[in-house]
Amino acid sequence: MNKKLFKWKYIFITFVLIVAIIIASVMNLKTTFANLTEKKPVPNSDDPGQRILVVVPHPDDESLGMAGVIQKSIELKRPIKVVIVTDGESYKKAAQVFTGDINPTPADFYKLGLQRHSESLAAMSVLGLPKDDVIFLGFADGSTRFLWSDFWDNGKPRISGGTNAAYSPYKDVYKPGVAYTGENLENELQDIMKSFKPTDIYYPLADDIHPDHWAVSNFTRYAIVALNLNVREHMFLVHHPQWPVPWLLMPNDSLLPPTDMKDSNTVWQSIPLSKQEEAKKEEAIKQYTSQIKVMEPFLLAFVRKNELFGTKPVITIPEVETKPNLYDKNMPFSLLSIPAGGVLDQEIYKSADLTKLASFYYDNHLYIGVQTLSPISKNVRYNIEMRLFYNNSIKRIDLGLVNGKLYQYRKANNSLLKSIASRPIIDKNILWIKLNIPQKQDLRYIFMGSDSIYKERLIDKIPWNMYKISKQA
């Protein structure tokens, strides 16, 4: 064999092996292959709505998820408002590239926020949306999940990890100087919904793995239920393992649901885009220059023949007359199944890998069950959080299993205490708790999610869903 040809063949094989090793170390290849090959037909719709409200966590999400919807709304002369919750300023890699400083200062993060703010306005201008129809709330990037769980109304706002501010430093926002609390964010969303009166609301899926995305999803759905709005809900996905695939500009391909969300209580719908709408979407995405510089292939992967949205039907928690066996390894009354985690195969992470959520109502008590991949560990904190929507009020319950003991926390003024009716039942990889839910007759919905924490790091979560207790037929 020609020595030169052999050399290049050796280099090519070595390159392929290196790439394969890198991919295998960070990706679930089985899921990636499935996402590339499986075909999942999704019903189409060409109706974006009559009065459209878009709620997104960061500048660029509005174009990634809804550039086509925005264009269709403008063409049809339908009223539309785009609400951007944060200015995306705490993304360190983007701040490093934007400022040229490997250690960005709070002032650098603030400048990045201003830049991303202007990029959204430029992108919306490309799509034909006037500046007056874009509403910035100015909350802290990277903090919304903490506002949802821990910094609701206790008078101590969350300090931004980027700007080091506890109050919004931006001027061109809905309420300048607003304190970073969950209650303030929720109130602003409800104010906008009440004044604009949307028929359709587009917002993130709670299954999104980015904390800002699932937290903004929770805030938005909370507002819809609190206001008892009769609207169509359209939830979009941005961050999910091995999705979309591939991370390339592929305008002739369709955006399809991730294969591992088959059992996620999600009903999908697709809105087809014309070639002109695709081209405008690509042009809009390229306006986010601070992000294009650090993740261009990922951003352009959303330029496809369609835009994909999900809805989340309310899940029924059955009211039963016979108590099931709580030690049954098949876990009775399972309501959600979550795919096992990816490359984290250490035993502690398997114990933190949440795979099922179960629940039933029996003898005036609510039973909640969580299953993990490996036996429940004393080194992992397991949290179950609920928002209870009554006819005339909203209450919350926050539970944590720590070192085998169940705690109930007071995290807001409306926290219910002393709802735990018994010790937790722990059997290998299954946890059951029994709760006393007051005024069950006035309870409309239970908004509930769960997560696992190891060394103060969020490891896994069961996405928030809306539940309703109902007697079995």
Side-chain angles (χ1 to χ4, degrees):
M1 180 183 289
N2 183 290
K3 288 185 177 180
K4 187 174 182 181
L5 182 61
F6 178 82
K7 176 184 176 182
W8 281 108
K9 183 177 180 180
Y10 175 79
I11 292 173
F12 176 75
I13 293 173
T14 302
F15 173 77
V16 170
L17 287 173
I18 291 172
V19 170
I21 291 170
I22 291 172
I23 293 175
S25 68
V26 299
M27 298 181 74
N28 184 323
L29 292 182
K30 181 179 178 181
T31 301
T32 303
F33 183 74
N35 281 335
L36 277 167
T37 58
E38 289 190 20
K39 304 301 180 184
K40 302 161 284 291
V42 176
N44 284 340
S45 172
D46 58 2
D47 178 19
Q50 297 298 315
R51 293 181 64 82
I52 298 131
L53 181 66
V54 172
V55 183
V56 300
H58 312 110
D60 74 13
D61 292 321
E62 68 278 12
S63 288
L64 297 180
M66 277 79 54
V69 167
I70 293 169
Q71 291 179 75
K72 291 178 187 296
S73 304
I74 294 168
E75 183 180 354
L76 294 169
K77 294 181 171 53
R78 308 277 173 82
I80 179 169
K81 297 285 184 183
V82 172
V83 176
I84 303 175
V85 174
T86 83
D87 278 283
E89 71 281 336
S90 296
Y91 185 12
K92 186 174 180 180
K93 186 175 180 180
Q96 290 171 331
V97 173
F98 179 66
T99 64
D101 190 343
I102 196 170
N103 295 307
T105 65
D108 291 330
F109 284 115
Y110 173 70
K111 291 176 184 176
L112 176 62
L114 295 177
Q115 171 66 17
R116 296 194 67 178
H117 184 114
S118 66
E119 290 169 358
S120 273
L121 293 178
M124 294 303 97
S125 178
V126 166
L127 301 179
L129 187 69
K131 178 180 178 180
D132 290 345
D133 289 329
V134 184
I135 303 170
F136 294 90
L137 302 189
F139 281 80
D141 179 32
S143 290
T144 53
R145 98 167 155 98
F146 299 105
L147 304 190
W148 175 256
S149 294
D150 300 316
F151 292 83
W152 187 266
D153 61 4
N154 57 12
K156 184 179 179 182
R158 165 80 179 179
I159 297 175
S160 165
T163 61
N164 201 33
Y167 302 84
S168 181
Y170 303 105
K171 295 180 180 179
D172 187 16
V173 296
Y174 189 68
K175 288 187 178 180
V178 65
Y180 291 152
T181 68
E183 187 175 46
N184 285 341
L185 174 51
E186 182 60 34
N187 287 342
E188 290 192 11
L189 288 176
Q190 290 196 30
D191 285 348
I192 292 168
M193 290 180 189
K194 285 187 286 188
S195 63
F196 182 61
K197 297 179 174 58
T199 62
D200 293 74
I201 300 180
Y202 291 78
Y203 65 99
L205 266 168
D207 305 74
D208 198 299
I209 63 173
H210 192 300
D212 277 337
H213 283 250
W214 61 255
V216 168
S217 176
N218 291 354
F219 276 107
T220 307
R221 197 166 191 189
Y222 184 108
I224 292 169
V225 175
L227 295 173
N228 200 25
L229 296 183
N230 181 21
V231 296
R232 295 195 308 174
E233 299 172 52
H234 313 263
M235 307 174 193
F236 71 98
L237 186 66
V238 172
H239 302 279
H240 194 76
Q242 292 79 61
W243 188 89
V245 290
W247 284 5
L248 294 171
L249 175 63
M250 300 187 69
N252 294 321
D253 284 11
S254 296
L255 202 59
L256 299 171
T259 57
D260 63 357
M261 287 185 63
K262 292 177 181 177
D263 302 318
S264 65
N265 185 46
T266 307
V267 180
W268 296 99
Q269 187 176 68
S270 173
I271 295 184
L273 306 187
S274 68
K275 283 297 181 183
Q276 182 180 359
E277 288 167 342
E278 277 190 85
K280 281 287 185 181
K281 180 169 185 173
E282 180 181 350
E283 184 182 352
I285 290 174
K286 288 181 177 178
Q287 304 306 305
Y288 304 96
T289 55
S290 67
Q291 307 308 295
I292 286 289
K293 290 177 182 178
V294 294
M295 51 178 175
E296 181 175 5
F298 172 68
L299 299 181
L300 293 180
F302 287 87
V303 180
R304 302 284 170 104
K305 293 166 58 177
N306 66 315
E307 289 176 341
L308 192 65
F309 302 100
T311 59
K312 292 282 191 181
V314 174
I315 299 174
T316 297
I317 295 176
E319 184 173 353
V320 301
E321 295 183 358
T322 303
K323 183 180 178 182
N325 178 14
L326 299 185
Y327 293 93
D328 184 343
K329 64 179 181 179
N330 292 321
M331 209 171 192
F333 301 110
S334 293
L335 304 178
L336 281 177
S337 294
I338 312 299
V343 298
L344 300 176
D345 57 358
Q346 298 94 328
E347 195 62 32
I348 188 66
Y349 288 107
K350 288 183 179 180
S351 293
D353 195 336
L354 308 177
T355 58
K356 280 186 181 180
L357 179 74
S359 185
F360 63 92
Y361 191 83
Y362 169 74
D363 192 25
N364 297 319
H365 288 90
L366 178 67
Y367 289 77
I368 301 170
V370 172
Q371 186 182 73
T372 55
L373 193 60
S374 286
I376 301 290
S377 170
K378 291 183 178 181
N379 297 314
V380 176
R381 184 170 85 246
Y382 303 91
N383 296 319
I384 297 173
E385 301 178 38
M386 287 176 274
R387 307 295 189 270
L388 308 179
F389 289 87
Y390 288 97
N391 290 332
N392 298 307
S393 65
I394 302 171
K395 303 295 183 182
R396 66 183 283 174
I397 295 175
D398 296 275
L399 307 172
L401 183 76
V402 182
N403 197 20
K405 186 175 181 181
L406 193 62
Y407 295 88
Q408 188 163 358
Y409 306 109
R410 180 182 179 88
K411 291 193 173 183
N413 291 332
N414 64 341
S415 291
L416 285 178
L417 300 177
K418 298 181 180 179
S419 290
I420 300 173
S422 67
R423 291 182 178 179
I425 295 174
I426 301 173
D427 182 40
K428 297 179 181 177
N429 66 329
I430 291 177
L431 162 69
W432 281 100
I433 61 172
K434 184 172 80 169
L435 290 174
N436 175 33
I437 302 294
Q439 297 176 290
K440 182 254 183 181
Q441 69 278 6
D442 296 325
L443 183 62
R444 295 167 54 215
Y445 298 106
I446 299 174
F447 195 25
M448 177 167 56
S450 179
D451 61 43
S452 57
I453 307 291
Y454 175 60
K455 293 185 176 179
E456 301 307 316
R457 177 187 167 199
L458 176 66
I459 303 299
D460 199 10
K461 68 182 181 70
I462 294 175
W464 285 72
N465 273 275
M466 203 67 68
Y467 299 84
K468 187 178 184 67
I469 299 174
S470 180
K471 287 186 177 182
Q472 285 188 312

